[in-house]
Amino acid sequence: DGGITQSPKYLFRKEGQNVTLSCEQNLNHDAMYWYRQDPGQGLRLIYYSQIVNDFQKGDIAEGYSVSREKKESFPLTVTSAQKNPTAFYLCASTTTRTGIDQPQHFGDGTRLSIL
Amino acid sequence: QKEVEQNSGPLSVPEGAIASLNCTYSDRGSQSFFWYRQYSGKSPELIMFIYSNGDKEDGRFTAQLNKASQYVSLLIRDSQPSDSATYLCALLRGSSNTGKLIFGQGTTLQVKP
């Protein structure tokens, strides 16, 4: 089945540790996105990528890094510089080839907590 | 002023009633709008999207867009307890090729049996 796969579902980070969240899609989508959701809040954009080997900062990029080496994959690293990493992290993707704005579809998310 | 504003609720309606969820936005140039439903602990799922002024219907759901007044709403007819969730309004800043979704904080809907 086509879809967006995020792993792991739950992740715990120790003080000073970098952790990487995986996002893979087999929808042949060009654009991929990472969002953060805090309890009772909407989604905030961390990073996004429209094409392979290119990505842009979103509204809250500090303390995070990404790469886009393959069309299917857009991993997010939460670095030790991110002092408040506890949140629900959501990956999304969409196509950009139709000429009209297409909705984004989401993976199941990763919950990150500090140990 | 937030770019996308929603009343956080909760909005409580009896089963079978019409639930009306509203969203206002500040950027008059916004063109594309999306409604997502998010159950507790789950990821958002797309309900509707609307690009043109007026109404768009899909089953029990109707999205309404009024660009002059800068609001978009979602009506849920014959509300069911399974509709109880948080509904997120989002707009696309820019285009799909270059833009990004901006979300409101969401409105929690409770449908009481």
Side-chain angles (χ1 to χ4, degrees):
Chain A
D1 282 357
I4 302 169
T5 301
Q6 289 189 243
S7 62
K9 191 169 183 178
Y10 299 96
L11 187 59
F12 297 92
R13 195 191 87 171
K14 294 179 181 178
E15 204 70 41
Q17 184 183 39
N18 293 352
V19 293
T20 297
L21 285 60
S22 171
C23 179
E24 305 274 335
Q25 54 95 3
N26 60 3
L27 300 167
N28 199 32
H29 284 171
D30 299 291
M32 297 185 72
Y33 307 80
W34 274 106
Y35 294 90
R36 167 182 173 140
Q37 187 176 34
D38 293 284
Q41 302 295 315
L43 281 64
R44 292 184 290 167
L45 183 65
I46 304 172
Y47 268 99
Y48 62 111
S49 169
Q50 306 286 350
I51 57 173
V52 174
N53 292 322
D54 189 42
F55 48 82
Q56 288 77 41
K57 292 181 179 180
D59 298 319
I60 55 165
E62 186 174 350
Y64 301 96
S65 65
V66 294
S67 62
R68 186 87 185 275
E69 297 177 3
K70 298 187 299 181
K71 187 176 183 178
E72 302 80 19
S73 179
F74 191 40
L76 173 74
T77 296
V78 184
T79 75
S80 57
Q82 173 49 247
K83 298 306 179 188
N84 184 22
T86 298
F88 188 34
Y89 289 86
L90 291 154
C91 178
S93 70
T94 189
T95 183
T96 60
R97 298 187 182 189
T98 64
I100 58 174
D101 295 335
Q102 295 292 332
Q104 294 177 18
H105 297 275
F106 289 84
D108 289 339
T110 293
R111 291 198 179 276
L112 176 62
S113 302
I114 294 183
L115 278 178
Chain B
Q1 183 183 7
K2 290 183 181 178
E3 219 167 324
V4 181
E5 297 221 43
Q6 296 181 259
N7 187 324
S8 60
L11 173 66
S12 184
V13 300
E15 184 174 355
I18 296 176
S20 177
L21 303 155
N22 300 311
C23 172
T24 59
Y25 60 94
S26 59
D27 183 359
R28 194 169 280 279
S30 300
Q31 298 293 324
S32 302
F33 302 86
F34 307 88
W35 281 100
Y36 289 85
R37 177 175 63 197
Q38 187 175 27
Y39 291 113
S40 181
K42 302 296 185 183
S43 64
E45 56 179 319
L46 182 72
I47 298 293
M48 300 273 303
F49 55 92
I50 186 166
Y51 306 143
S52 304
N53 271 330
D55 295 359
K56 179 181 179 182
E57 187 174 319
D58 183 1
R60 296 187 298 113
F61 299 96
T62 299
Q64 299 176 318
L65 175 59
N66 184 322
K67 291 185 179 180
S69 299
Q70 295 176 242
Y71 81 79
V72 56
S73 61
L74 179 70
L75 301 179
I76 306 175
R77 289 182 299 281
D78 188 24
S79 295
Q80 301 297 310
S82 59
D83 294 326
S84 298
T86 296
Y87 289 81
L88 300 167
C89 171
L91 60 81
L92 186 65
R93 187 201 294 163
S95 68
S96 284
N97 291 333
T98 60
K100 45 192 179 179
L101 280 182
I102 308 299
F103 285 84
Q105 67 184 58
T107 298
T108 299
L109 173 65
Q110 296 174 345
V111 181
K112 298 190 180 296

